[in-house]
Amino acid sequence: MTDHTATPAAARDNLFGVCAALGEDFGFNPLWLRLGFAVALLFSLEKVLLAYAALGVLVLVSRLLFPNRIRATTNEVPAPANEADEEGYRHAA
């Protein structure tokens, strides 16, 4: 049997991460934006590349001006509040 669970795209699977960043910021699946770009490529390559570059600059500026504090703190492991919590962590492991 094959596993059909969706896995998040790795960083190397994204072209500058523009669609992934917009999907994360606005709360939608970036696949829909990627499909929109793919369909639009059939009509005008130059306009799609210009729009993608403009969105890339917009994402870059927004990430530099307004860094997401939640994303920065999710990699940190919370310290136990007291000894009882630490003991509970030891038993859970």
Side-chain angles (χ1 to χ4, degrees):
M1 282 195 130
T2 58
D3 186 18
H4 293 289
T5 58
T7 57
R12 67 181 183 279
D13 294 337
N14 294 325
L15 182 63
F16 304 117
V18 174
C19 294
L22 290 172
E24 179 182 319
D25 290 345
F26 293 106
F28 64 88
N29 190 343
L31 179 64
W32 294 111
L33 188 55
R34 292 178 184 127
L35 287 174
F37 276 122
V39 170
L41 276 173
L42 298 172
F43 300 105
S44 177
L45 175 68
E46 296 84 12
K47 289 180 183 176
V48 171
L49 291 178
L50 184 64
Y52 193 83
L55 286 173
V57 169
L58 181 69
V59 167
L60 176 64
V61 169
S62 71
R63 295 289 166 105
L64 290 175
L65 292 177
F66 308 106
N68 190 349
R69 296 180 196 192
I70 295 172
R71 188 180 325 113
T73 59
T74 55
N75 294 335
E76 298 175 10
V77 176
N82 56 32
E83 289 295 320
D85 289 341
E86 188 174 319
E87 188 65 29
Y89 291 149
R90 283 191 204 126
H91 290 301

